[in-house]
Amino acid sequence: MSFSNFGFKKFINDTLVQIDFFNPTKIQEKIIPLIKKHQNVVALSHTGTGKTHAFLLPILNNIKDKEKQQTQALILAPTRELAKQIFDNIKPFIKNKPEIKASLFIGGEDINKQIAHLEKTQPTIAVGTPTRIKELYEANSLKVTTSDFIVIDECDMIFELGFFEEVDFIISKVKKDIKISLFSATISEQLQIFVKKYLKNSHFVDVTNNDKTTKNIKHILIDTKNKEIELFLSSVVKSINPFLCLVFINQKDEVEKYVKLIRLITNEHVGELHGDLQPRTRMNMLKKIKNNEFKYVVVTDVAARGVDIVGVSHVISIDLPIDLSYYVHRSGRTGRGKMTGESYVLYNVQNQSKIESLQKSGITFMMTKIANDALIEVKQKKSKKINNYENLDDDSKKVIAKYSNQKVKPGYKKKRKIELEDIKKKKRREHIKKSIDKIKKEKYRKRREEIFD
């Protein structure tokens, strides 16, 4: 299937060719026709599956020519970076259709300038963070009530960051028949309440199962044997040569520690992305990352969610996330498009259960060990058959108990095995004898019947 099958307007098709977009992703195939037909949508999709264009293309296509001087679409994103990223994706299309105006409204920018701009003209498409959009509405500057579409991107993250009230407020101010598109990676309890309140008649699309185990990504486990994580991280870093490697940690207060460690190992500049960075510093950091100034960037999950970082060849998880669905986000940073990638997990006994959960969800891990600062694959042994002692006969149980209660001596396993085998042979002989006796008795019974009949 190609984008030409959707019947888009000429300026959209022309732009798609210019940006080398030819074939839609799975979520684009499912979502575009729904939004194009003015349907409400709830979509579950991981980062990197192409969801931004899944909602942008049909919305751009549905813009009414006669009403271009008023806001027709409102797009909400949880972070400034993601909002800017969405806005940047709109730019190539409106370049070919200058009548359509798009504006970005985020915190950290002068709100007075934004108000002054809105007094002159209303954007056809408004992109922004919930708090700033709410502020502009309350200032009677942004006329959201004219919107035909509203998109809430990374909705689970919006609620995690505490923007539920702002989103709830904004939706309460738009017209009742507005079409809502909600994109999320997971459906939390809070999100379920939101969906029931505002999206009763909606199409539910879930493509998370399609992108959970991307063929382009190799998942690699490194057993740390409960030793110092820093030693193993050093060995991993020395064994790979990434174009760009994201190192994920759970606690933002540990970022500095790992930045210093990797800098010491590689003698290179190391980037960082976490919640404590000031907005300007964060924007500068993202700019440096996109300019390929780092080979390694230490990041936290929330800080990296939704941010499109191009060229990630490797991902390292120092520890597994508390919410295991975030592991898919982490590994999904690499192996984009036709590129390949590797996702390393440093694990120990403490997170063994999490590994098993990920395996049950469909992720296949390769087991490795470190030897001379190189990764060597370890063939996993077949699990040994576990004896179910509850089904043993009384004599066998006595033998097991005897060797369990006494002090273990060399060769006890062999002796126990011999005794158990002897019991099995004895039981087998008894069974055979009983079978023979039964046959004899049956023959004797039949013979008697023949004689006396």
Side-chain angles (χ1 to χ4, degrees):
M1 185 179 186
S2 68
F3 281 111
S4 59
N5 297 120
F6 291 116
F8 288 135
K9 293 176 181 176
K10 185 177 183 300
F11 82 94
I12 295 176
N13 288 325
D14 290 345
T15 308
L16 287 170
V17 172
Q18 291 169 8
I19 62 175
D20 294 328
F21 273 37
F22 301 103
N23 303 111
T25 63
K26 183 65 68 176
I27 192 169
Q28 290 165 357
E29 282 183 22
K30 292 179 178 292
I31 295 296
I32 288 173
L34 295 173
I35 299 179
K36 194 166 177 279
K37 292 179 181 179
H38 299 262
Q39 301 294 314
N40 289 331
V41 172
V42 177
L44 290 188
S45 175
H46 297 305
T47 300
T49 54
K51 58 185 172 58
T52 301
H53 285 90
F55 61 76
L56 280 185
L57 297 179
I59 286 176
L60 285 164
N61 189 80
N62 290 350
I63 293 295
K64 299 172 186 175
D65 291 340
K66 293 180 180 179
E67 300 172 4
K68 282 177 184 170
Q69 298 309 310
Q70 66 182 33
T71 302
Q72 297 185 46
L74 184 60
I75 302 172
L76 303 178
T79 65
R80 300 167 184 177
E81 293 78 22
L82 182 55
K84 187 177 186 305
Q85 197 168 281
I86 294 169
F87 179 69
D88 288 341
N89 280 312
I90 297 173
K91 285 179 180 179
F93 294 92
I94 61 177
K95 187 178 180 181
N96 288 331
K97 192 75 169 176
E99 308 97 282
I100 298 176
K101 306 295 182 183
S103 296
L104 177 66
F105 303 110
I106 57 176
E109 304 290 336
D110 190 338
I111 191 170
N112 292 320
K113 285 185 178 179
Q114 293 176 345
I115 291 172
H117 173 74
L118 287 167
E119 287 175 354
K120 296 177 183 177
T121 180
Q122 292 288 306
T124 319
I125 303 174
V127 184
T129 48
T131 303
R132 181 49 59 95
I133 295 292
K134 179 175 180 282
E135 289 171 343
L136 291 171
Y137 173 83
E138 290 178 323
N140 199 30
S141 297
L142 182 62
K143 314 297 183 183
V144 300
T145 54
T146 59
S147 298
D148 297 310
F149 299 91
I150 183 168
V151 176
I152 308 169
D153 196 15
E154 300 285 359
C155 199
D156 54 340
M157 189 178 175
I158 279 180
F159 292 154
E160 282 175 24
L161 295 175
F163 297 133
F164 177 80
E165 289 184 6
E166 286 84 349
V167 173
D168 194 54
F169 174 87
I170 293 165
I171 293 184
S172 70
K173 302 304 177 184
V174 297
K175 51 190 178 184
K176 292 182 179 179
D177 61 346
I178 194 169
K179 300 307 172 187
I180 303 174
S181 297
L182 187 153
F183 291 82
S184 184
T186 57
I187 293 287
S188 63
E189 187 176 341
Q190 192 177 27
L191 194 52
Q192 287 178 24
I193 297 170
F194 183 85
V195 169
K196 287 178 182 177
K197 183 176 179 180
Y198 291 114
L199 292 103
K200 293 177 182 177
N201 300 314
S202 60
H203 294 268
F204 183 79
V205 177
D206 184 357
V207 298
T208 53
N209 290 329
N210 294 318
D211 52 27
K212 185 169 286 186
T213 54
T214 305
K215 293 179 181 178
N216 296 349
I217 304 172
K218 187 183 290 184
H219 301 271
I220 302 167
L221 282 180
I222 304 171
D223 189 352
T224 62
K225 304 292 183 184
N226 297 309
K227 295 179 181 178
E228 291 293 329
I229 291 290
E230 289 80 359
L231 295 174
F232 284 86
L233 177 61
S234 176
S235 297
V236 175
V237 169
K238 289 177 181 177
S239 69
I240 63 177
N241 184 26
F243 180 80
L244 176 60
C245 177
L246 300 184
V247 181
F248 280 92
I249 60 171
N250 289 347
Q251 304 297 328
K252 59 186 177 184
D253 56 3
E254 290 190 333
V255 169
E256 187 178 355
K257 172 179 128 180
Y258 285 105
V259 166
K260 288 180 179 178
L261 177 62
I262 297 172
R263 189 183 297 148
L264 187 64
I265 298 166
T266 62
N267 197 29
E268 294 186 22
H269 294 297
V270 179
E272 57 184 278
L273 270 179
H274 54 88
D276 284 346
L277 289 180
Q278 293 298 316
R280 190 174 296 278
T281 306
R282 184 178 165 87
M283 294 296 284
N284 288 336
M285 183 62 67
L286 281 169
K287 193 177 292 184
K288 288 180 179 180
I289 293 170
K290 291 179 180 180
N291 289 337
N292 302 322
E293 293 185 29
F294 304 112
K295 286 182 73 173
Y296 291 90
V297 182
V298 180
V299 298
T300 56
D301 286 297
V302 174
R305 271 285 300 278
V307 179
D308 187 19
I309 301 174
V310 180
V312 179
S313 58
H314 295 72
V315 170
I316 299 174
S317 291
I318 298 295
D319 38 26
L320 285 167
I322 297 170
D323 181 351
L324 282 182
S325 67
Y326 273 70
Y327 174 74
V328 181
H329 293 293
R330 292 181 178 185
S331 59
R333 293 290 172 177
T334 186
R336 299 279 188 101
K338 296 180 181 180
M339 303 298 288
T340 59
E342 297 177 356
S343 176
Y344 295 85
V345 178
L346 305 182
Y347 89 104
N348 52 36
V349 175
Q350 292 178 338
N351 54 24
Q352 180 63 38
S353 60
K354 289 186 176 182
I355 294 295
E356 291 170 359
S357 295
L358 289 171
Q359 289 173 324
K360 287 177 183 177
S361 73
I363 294 174
T364 302
F365 288 98
M366 181 180 81
M367 180 69 74
T368 63
K369 67 177 182 179
I370 301 288
N372 298 322
D373 286 335
L375 290 173
I376 300 173
E377 184 176 358
V378 177
K379 291 184 178 180
Q380 298 186 46
K381 297 178 181 178
K382 292 182 179 180
S383 57
K384 293 182 180 179
K385 187 176 179 180
I386 300 172
N387 291 316
N388 187 356
Y389 295 140
E390 291 180 4
N391 297 326
L392 293 176
D393 56 81
D394 291 340
D395 291 335
S396 297
K397 285 181 180 179
K398 287 177 183 178
V399 172
I400 296 295
K402 181 179 75 173
Y403 285 97
S404 297
N405 296 331
Q406 73 178 25
K407 189 176 181 180
V408 175
K409 295 179 181 179
Y412 83 95
K413 287 185 179 179
K414 187 176 181 181
K415 291 179 182 179
R416 184 178 65 183
K417 185 178 179 181
I418 292 171
E419 289 189 36
L420 291 172
E421 287 295 329
D422 287 342
I423 291 172
K424 283 183 182 179
K425 288 176 183 178
K426 182 181 176 182
K427 296 292 181 185
R428 199 178 297 121
R429 285 196 296 268
E430 289 176 354
H431 177 72
I432 293 171
K433 186 176 183 300
K434 284 180 181 179
S435 298
I436 293 172
D437 289 344
K438 186 176 180 181
I439 293 170
K440 284 182 178 180
K441 286 180 180 180
E442 184 64 22
K443 284 183 178 180
Y444 179 72
R445 185 185 63 76
K446 287 182 178 181
R447 182 63 177 159
R448 277 176 61 85
E449 287 176 355
E450 289 173 1
I451 293 171
F452 290 104
D453 285 348

